[in-house]
Amino acid sequence: MDRIPILRLGELLLVSIQVDMHDRLALALQDDLAERIVQTGAQGVLIDISALEIVDSFIGRVLANIASVARVLDAETVVVGMQPAVAITLVELGLTLPGIRTALDVNRGMALLRESVFDAPAAEGMDDPFAE
């Protein structure tokens, strides 16, 4: 797989990583996400890493870079589905993942994004694609 699919859900982008991440794929995802944020005007990015059993320091730094780039482009990033072994590894490596909010699963991650994107004072008047 050369690219990881990026799905658009209204003002949000959803990335579900279902393959082993290698360095080149991680960098391609970083570039593709930045491009999609600009193209779509997305205000939130949810990255599901539940299928990843291992995250090394490079992948951890790329995730942090993705969040930083997204923040510069005015989008929030939430990473969901982190396996306990991955969390332990990231802590042992001393990676803090600045700018990344985490949640246990996709539902909680979407709730975090909805809260920060659609309930923020600056976002008043914006259409919530999840509103009933």
Side-chain angles (χ1 to χ4, degrees), residues 13-67:
L13 297 177
L14 172 64
V15 178
S16 183
I17 301 171
Q18 299 294 316
V19 296
D20 286 333
M21 284 287 272
H22 52 78
D23 295 355
R24 192 168 41 101
L25 188 58
L27 291 173
L29 175 61
Q30 178 180 294
D31 294 343
D32 292 347
L33 258 175
E35 189 66 35
R36 287 295 299 268
I37 291 169
V38 171
Q39 286 175 347
T40 63
Q43 296 189 339
V45 176
L46 188 131
I47 302 173
D48 176 13
I49 63 168
S50 59
L52 296 182
E53 295 179 8
I54 297 172
V55 172
D56 62 16
S57 62
F58 182 80
I59 301 299
R61 280 194 304 274
V62 170
L63 288 173
N65 288 345
I66 286 172

Side-chain angles (χ1 to χ4, degrees), residues 74-94:
D74 196 26
E76 299 281 332
T77 301
V78 174
V79 173
V80 302
M82 189 176 299
Q83 300 293 327
V86 170
I88 291 168
T89 300
L90 291 175
V91 170
E92 287 176 350
L93 292 172

Side-chain angles (χ1 to χ4, degrees), residues 51-131:
L52 296 182
E53 295 179 8
I54 297 172
V55 172
D56 62 16
S57 62
F58 182 80
I59 301 299
R61 280 194 304 274
V62 170
L63 288 173
N65 288 345
I66 286 172
S68 295
V69 169
R71 177 48 106 193
V72 169
L73 296 173
D74 196 26
E76 299 281 332
T77 301
V78 174
V79 173
V80 302
M82 189 176 299
Q83 300 293 327
V86 170
I88 291 168
T89 300
L90 291 175
V91 170
E92 287 176 350
L93 292 172
L95 294 175
T96 58
L97 304 179
I100 293 180
R101 297 172 70 187
T102 59
L104 288 178
D105 55 39
V106 171
N107 284 336
R108 291 180 183 185
M110 281 294 185
L112 268 177
L113 280 177
R114 289 174 56 194
E115 178 184 303
S116 64
V117 171
F118 300 112
D119 293 339
E124 288 182 12
M126 175 183 293
D127 293 334
D128 180 352
F130 301 103

